[in-house]
Short mmCIF file of all heavy atoms in Angstrom, two decimals:
data_model
loop_
_atom_site.label_atom_id
_atom_site.label_comp_id
_atom_site.label_asym_id
_atom_site.label_seq_id
_atom_site.Cartn_x
_atom_site.Cartn_y
_atom_site.Cartn_z
N ARG A 544 90.68 85.74 102.82
CA ARG A 544 89.52 86.65 102.76
C ARG A 544 89.79 87.79 101.79
O ARG A 544 88.90 88.21 101.05
CB ARG A 544 89.23 87.24 104.14
CG ARG A 544 88.69 86.22 105.09
CD ARG A 544 87.88 86.94 106.17
NE ARG A 544 87.83 86.14 107.37
CZ ARG A 544 87.39 86.58 108.54
NH1 ARG A 544 87.02 87.84 108.66
NH2 ARG A 544 87.36 85.79 109.59
N VAL A 545 91.02 88.29 101.79
CA VAL A 545 91.36 89.40 100.88
C VAL A 545 91.24 88.92 99.44
O VAL A 545 90.75 89.63 98.55
CB VAL A 545 92.78 89.94 101.18
CG1 VAL A 545 93.19 91.01 100.18
CG2 VAL A 545 92.85 90.52 102.60
N GLU A 546 91.66 87.69 99.21
CA GLU A 546 91.60 87.10 97.86
C GLU A 546 90.18 87.13 97.28
O GLU A 546 89.97 87.23 96.08
CB GLU A 546 92.12 85.66 97.95
CG GLU A 546 91.98 84.84 96.68
CD GLU A 546 93.30 84.60 95.98
OE1 GLU A 546 94.36 84.77 96.61
OE2 GLU A 546 93.26 84.24 94.79
N GLN A 547 89.18 87.02 98.17
CA GLN A 547 87.77 86.96 97.71
C GLN A 547 87.26 88.30 97.17
O GLN A 547 86.17 88.35 96.61
CB GLN A 547 86.82 86.59 98.87
CG GLN A 547 87.13 85.30 99.59
CD GLN A 547 87.10 84.12 98.66
OE1 GLN A 547 86.20 84.01 97.84
NE2 GLN A 547 88.12 83.28 98.75
N ILE A 548 88.00 89.37 97.39
CA ILE A 548 87.46 90.69 97.02
C ILE A 548 87.47 90.86 95.50
O ILE A 548 88.53 90.84 94.87
CB ILE A 548 88.27 91.83 97.72
CG1 ILE A 548 88.12 91.68 99.25
CG2 ILE A 548 87.80 93.20 97.25
CD1 ILE A 548 88.96 92.66 100.05
N ASP A 549 86.27 90.99 94.93
CA ASP A 549 86.15 91.15 93.47
C ASP A 549 86.81 92.44 93.02
O ASP A 549 86.65 93.47 93.66
CB ASP A 549 84.67 91.21 93.07
CG ASP A 549 84.04 89.83 93.13
OD1 ASP A 549 84.79 88.84 93.02
OD2 ASP A 549 82.82 89.76 93.31
N GLY A 550 87.49 92.35 91.90
CA GLY A 550 88.08 93.56 91.31
C GLY A 550 89.51 93.77 91.76
O GLY A 550 90.28 94.45 91.09
N LEU A 551 89.89 93.16 92.88
CA LEU A 551 91.29 93.25 93.33
C LEU A 551 92.09 92.24 92.51
O LEU A 551 91.67 91.10 92.35
CB LEU A 551 91.38 92.91 94.82
CG LEU A 551 92.78 92.98 95.42
CD1 LEU A 551 93.31 94.41 95.39
CD2 LEU A 551 92.78 92.46 96.85
N GLU A 552 93.24 92.69 91.95
CA GLU A 552 93.97 91.79 91.06
C GLU A 552 95.28 91.28 91.63
O GLU A 552 95.71 90.18 91.33
CB GLU A 552 94.22 92.49 89.73
CG GLU A 552 92.89 92.84 89.04
CD GLU A 552 93.08 93.31 87.61
OE1 GLU A 552 93.72 92.59 86.83
OE2 GLU A 552 92.60 94.41 87.31
N ARG A 553 95.95 92.11 92.41
CA ARG A 553 97.25 91.68 92.95
C ARG A 553 97.32 91.95 94.44
O ARG A 553 96.92 93.02 94.90
CB ARG A 553 98.38 92.48 92.29
CG ARG A 553 98.81 91.97 90.96
CD ARG A 553 99.99 92.80 90.50
NE ARG A 553 100.59 92.23 89.32
CZ ARG A 553 101.64 92.73 88.70
NH1 ARG A 553 102.20 93.83 89.14
NH2 ARG A 553 102.14 92.13 87.64
N ILE A 554 97.91 90.98 95.15
CA ILE A 554 98.12 91.15 96.60
C ILE A 554 99.61 90.96 96.89
O ILE A 554 100.22 89.97 96.45
CB ILE A 554 97.32 90.09 97.40
CG1 ILE A 554 95.83 90.13 97.04
CG2 ILE A 554 97.54 90.27 98.90
CD1 ILE A 554 95.03 88.94 97.57
N ARG A 555 100.17 91.92 97.59
CA ARG A 555 101.55 91.78 98.09
C ARG A 555 101.52 91.97 99.59
O ARG A 555 100.54 92.49 100.15
CB ARG A 555 102.46 92.86 97.51
CG ARG A 555 102.58 92.86 96.01
CD ARG A 555 103.61 93.91 95.56
NE ARG A 555 103.65 94.02 94.13
CZ ARG A 555 104.36 93.21 93.34
NH1 ARG A 555 105.09 92.23 93.87
NH2 ARG A 555 104.36 93.37 92.04
N PHE A 556 102.60 91.59 100.27
CA PHE A 556 102.67 91.87 101.71
C PHE A 556 104.11 92.02 102.14
O PHE A 556 105.02 91.50 101.51
CB PHE A 556 101.96 90.78 102.53
CG PHE A 556 102.35 89.38 102.19
CD1 PHE A 556 103.45 88.78 102.75
CD2 PHE A 556 101.57 88.64 101.30
CE1 PHE A 556 103.80 87.48 102.45
CE2 PHE A 556 101.92 87.32 100.99
CZ PHE A 556 103.03 86.75 101.55
N MET A 557 104.31 92.79 103.21
CA MET A 557 105.64 93.08 103.75
C MET A 557 105.51 93.43 105.21
O MET A 557 104.62 94.20 105.53
CB MET A 557 106.23 94.30 103.05
CG MET A 557 107.10 93.89 101.95
SD MET A 557 108.73 94.46 101.86
CE MET A 557 108.92 96.06 101.71
N THR A 558 106.36 92.94 106.08
CA THR A 558 107.46 92.04 105.85
C THR A 558 107.18 90.71 106.53
O THR A 558 106.53 90.67 107.55
CB THR A 558 108.74 92.64 106.50
OG1 THR A 558 109.01 93.90 105.92
CG2 THR A 558 109.92 91.79 106.28
N SER A 559 107.76 89.65 105.97
CA SER A 559 107.60 88.31 106.54
C SER A 559 108.82 87.97 107.37
O SER A 559 109.93 87.97 106.85
CB SER A 559 107.56 87.29 105.41
OG SER A 559 106.30 87.20 104.88
N HIS A 560 108.60 87.66 108.63
CA HIS A 560 109.73 87.18 109.44
C HIS A 560 109.84 85.67 109.23
O HIS A 560 108.86 84.95 109.40
CB HIS A 560 109.46 87.50 110.91
CG HIS A 560 110.68 87.39 111.77
ND1 HIS A 560 111.47 86.26 111.80
CD2 HIS A 560 111.27 88.27 112.61
CE1 HIS A 560 112.48 86.45 112.63
NE2 HIS A 560 112.38 87.67 113.14
N PRO A 561 111.03 85.19 108.87
CA PRO A 561 111.16 83.75 108.58
C PRO A 561 110.71 82.85 109.73
O PRO A 561 110.15 81.77 109.50
CB PRO A 561 112.66 83.57 108.31
CG PRO A 561 113.13 84.93 107.92
CD PRO A 561 112.27 85.92 108.65
N LYS A 562 110.89 83.30 110.98
CA LYS A 562 110.56 82.41 112.10
C LYS A 562 109.07 82.09 112.17
O LYS A 562 108.68 81.07 112.72
CB LYS A 562 111.06 83.00 113.43
CG LYS A 562 110.16 84.08 114.01
CD LYS A 562 110.66 84.55 115.36
CE LYS A 562 110.04 85.86 115.78
NZ LYS A 562 108.62 85.95 115.96
N ASP A 563 108.23 82.98 111.65
CA ASP A 563 106.78 82.78 111.78
C ASP A 563 106.09 82.40 110.47
O ASP A 563 104.87 82.45 110.38
CB ASP A 563 106.13 84.09 112.28
CG ASP A 563 106.58 84.46 113.68
OD1 ASP A 563 106.60 83.56 114.53
OD2 ASP A 563 106.92 85.64 113.91
N LEU A 564 106.88 82.06 109.45
CA LEU A 564 106.24 81.76 108.17
C LEU A 564 105.68 80.33 108.18
O LEU A 564 106.42 79.36 108.26
CB LEU A 564 107.25 81.95 107.03
CG LEU A 564 106.62 82.17 105.68
CD1 LEU A 564 107.45 83.10 104.84
CD2 LEU A 564 106.39 80.88 104.93
N SER A 565 104.36 80.21 108.13
CA SER A 565 103.73 78.91 108.37
C SER A 565 103.52 78.12 107.07
O SER A 565 103.46 78.69 105.98
CB SER A 565 102.37 79.13 109.03
OG SER A 565 101.52 79.82 108.14
N ASP A 566 103.34 76.82 107.22
CA ASP A 566 102.99 75.98 106.07
C ASP A 566 101.62 76.37 105.54
O ASP A 566 101.35 76.25 104.35
CB ASP A 566 103.00 74.50 106.47
CG ASP A 566 104.43 74.00 106.62
OD1 ASP A 566 105.33 74.58 105.95
OD2 ASP A 566 104.67 73.08 107.43
#
Side-chain angles (χ1 to χ4, degrees):
R544 290 204 204 168
V545 175
E546 174 108 17
Q547 304 301 316
I548 298 175
D549 285 336
L551 181 65
E552 299 190 54
R553 278 184 171 180
I554 304 168
R555 299 185 186 276
F556 50 85
M557 265 235 298
T558 300
S559 277
H560 195 306
K562 80 176 164 61
D563 295 315
L564 201 146
S565 65
D566 286 333

